[in-house]
Amino acid sequence: MPETAEILDRFKAACPPEVLEVFHASLNAGSAGDTGSAPALGPATVVSHKFLPVYIGDAVSLISGIPCEHGPARLSHRATPALHPDAETTSQLHLYDCGVAIFHLVQNRTVESLGDLAVWRYRSYLEDLEWADKRIRTLLAEVTKQCEELKPPTYVLSAYLLEDSPWQGPNLETAMQLLTTPSVLVDRQRPEETVRLGDDVERALFSEGFEHSDVVGFSSQAIALGFAGWSGVAYHPLSPERALSMDAIVALELDVQTLWCLSSYVLDEIEEGRDPVMPKEFGWRFLRGALTRLTAARPQETAQHQLMREAVLTTSQLPDRLRTAQEVLRDNDI
């Protein structure tokens, strides 16, 4: 207003140069931090964990590996290096006694925007699925001809650890939601040529505060932000010394995706008009025990572990699938 502008002008006229310098610097800083300005899109650094399960039945025993510590469902398994050309050496192929082989690929990515990460995610999925199929068949071809009858892996699930980014407050929560449900950032009409929708779409999602109705949070105040959805998990520690380790999330997802793959085999066989063929030790009682171990709280379990486990199980819909698979196996006396 003219009156206040005149007052401000008089004060400015009486100020020494060094005070004016501080005044103008504060105006610039306020403008840069203005919530109405365009939100930053990046850069961001994430550690990507991909899980690619495939059911190979009895053939799993033919691949050698080193015994591993049990996860939350206490499923017996071994592991061998994955040897993926674009993944860290810590990436492994986990071999579960119940007949599931699951690749765990660890890849570090620095991206200029979450849209760029989403494009890489979907394009690399196609390449990784093809690679995983060839890798399993190569390993089995050395010891058996059973690989000719194997079905290829059909999906990839991602878990992201967000390490560094420019986001804070509401923008950080929006970024975590977008990491969990990246499909809103890309056009996937042609999967082999997935393209990013553009800066304007991504900035609009940040400005409006994107929140997906199917995403379940497992955040702990001042400790970590965590979200789980149908297509993946995103985690960002605010206090690393008190937050969950990524190893805990990986251990849970390995068991969850293994049981999802096993139950899918059972249900797919029924849909195709065939009876499932599998050892009785991995029949309906095995599934019942695994489900109980995954859903029951443990005396030494922290609140963070419980929230994370409940979020992952809810969004994966695994408990319902396991119950249905149990009924099928029980009807077939397996």
Side-chain angles (χ1 to χ4, degrees):
M1 297 176 63
E3 302 83 21
T4 52
E6 290 176 2
I7 296 172
L8 180 59
D9 287 341
R10 288 199 299 271
F11 273 102
K12 286 175 63 180
C15 285
E18 61 271 18
V19 175
L20 286 176
E21 183 177 349
V22 173
F23 173 69
H24 288 298
S26 68
L27 287 181
N28 292 333
S31 175
D34 186 0
T35 56
S37 61
L41 300 184
T45 301
V46 302
V47 181
S48 165
H49 295 262
K50 293 176 183 171
F51 302 90
L52 298 84
V54 56
Y55 183 78
I56 63 176
D58 293 342
V60 75
S61 63
L62 303 176
I63 304 175
S64 61
I66 298 174
C68 297
E69 183 178 350
H70 292 174
R74 298 207 296 275
L75 306 180
S76 179
H77 69 291
R78 298 161 289 115
T80 188
L83 302 181
H84 188 282
D86 188 39
E88 299 296 311
T89 55
T90 52
S91 301
Q92 292 184 310
L93 169 61
H94 293 263
L95 305 158
Y96 284 78
D97 291 352
C98 60
V100 174
I102 178 168
F103 287 97
H104 170 219
L105 305 180
V106 184
Q107 296 166 296
N108 296 296
R109 307 291 299 181
T110 298
V111 293
E112 293 303 315
S113 70
L114 293 181
D116 290 339
L117 180 65
V119 169
W120 169 79
R121 170 179 175 149
Y122 289 115
R123 289 185 179 180
S124 66
Y125 276 9
L126 298 177
E127 298 171 356
D128 291 336
L129 287 169
E130 183 179 354
W131 170 85
D133 185 40
K134 290 180 178 178
R135 178 69 180 144
I136 283 289
R137 291 178 186 278
T138 298
L139 287 170
L140 289 178
E142 299 173 359
V143 291
T144 182
K145 293 182 179 181
Q146 286 181 258
C147 58
E148 297 175 359
E149 302 175 358
L150 293 180
K151 293 183 178 180
T154 58
Y155 74 91
V156 185
L157 182 126
S158 287
Y160 289 123
L161 172 65
L162 178 63
E163 291 191 322
D164 298 306
S165 76
W167 306 301
Q168 295 180 352
N171 281 345
L172 179 57
E173 291 203 20
T174 296
M176 297 295 289
Q177 289 266 351
L178 291 173
L179 275 173
T180 311
T181 54
S183 59
V184 297
L185 297 172
V186 295
D187 181 347
R188 298 170 59 198
Q189 292 186 17
R190 300 177 64 184
E192 70 281 1
E193 297 181 7
T194 299
V195 294
R196 181 170 171 252
L197 291 179
D199 288 359
D200 55 338
V201 173
E202 194 163 337
R203 285 202 171 93
L205 291 170
F206 272 106
S207 298
E208 297 166 6
F210 174 76
E211 186 175 342
H212 198 287
S213 59
D214 293 332
V215 169
V216 178
F218 56 96
S219 303
S220 301
Q221 187 174 13
I223 297 177
L225 291 178
F227 294 91
W230 173 257
S231 60
V233 174
Y235 194 68
H236 176 63
L238 300 172
S239 177
E241 66 278 2
R242 294 188 295 161
L244 292 172
S245 69
M246 200 61 189
D247 288 345
I249 297 175
V250 167
L252 175 62
E253 282 293 1
L254 282 170
D255 281 0
V256 166
Q257 297 310 315
T258 293
L259 292 170
W260 176 275
C261 183
L262 180 59
S263 60
S264 292
Y265 162 72
V266 173
L267 299 179
D268 288 347
E269 288 294 286
I270 293 299
E271 290 177 6
E272 294 294 329
R274 298 186 293 264
D275 292 334
V277 178
M278 56 201 310
K280 280 201 171 184
E281 67 253 41
F282 301 118
W284 70 268
R285 289 183 176 84
F286 170 79
L287 294 184
R288 182 182 62 180
L291 178 60
T292 299
R293 290 189 291 271
L294 279 178
T295 55
R298 301 298 167 187
Q300 302 300 320
E301 186 178 51
T302 66
Q304 291 184 75
H305 278 90
Q306 186 172 353
L307 287 172
M308 181 261 292
R309 179 170 47 78
E310 290 175 354
V312 169
L313 290 178
T314 297
T315 53
S316 69
Q317 301 177 14
L318 177 65
D320 288 341
R321 291 181 66 85
L322 285 182
R323 293 187 187 100
T324 302
Q326 285 178 56
E327 295 174 5
V328 168
L329 293 176
R330 188 181 302 180
D331 291 344
N332 284 270
D333 193 29
I334 298 177

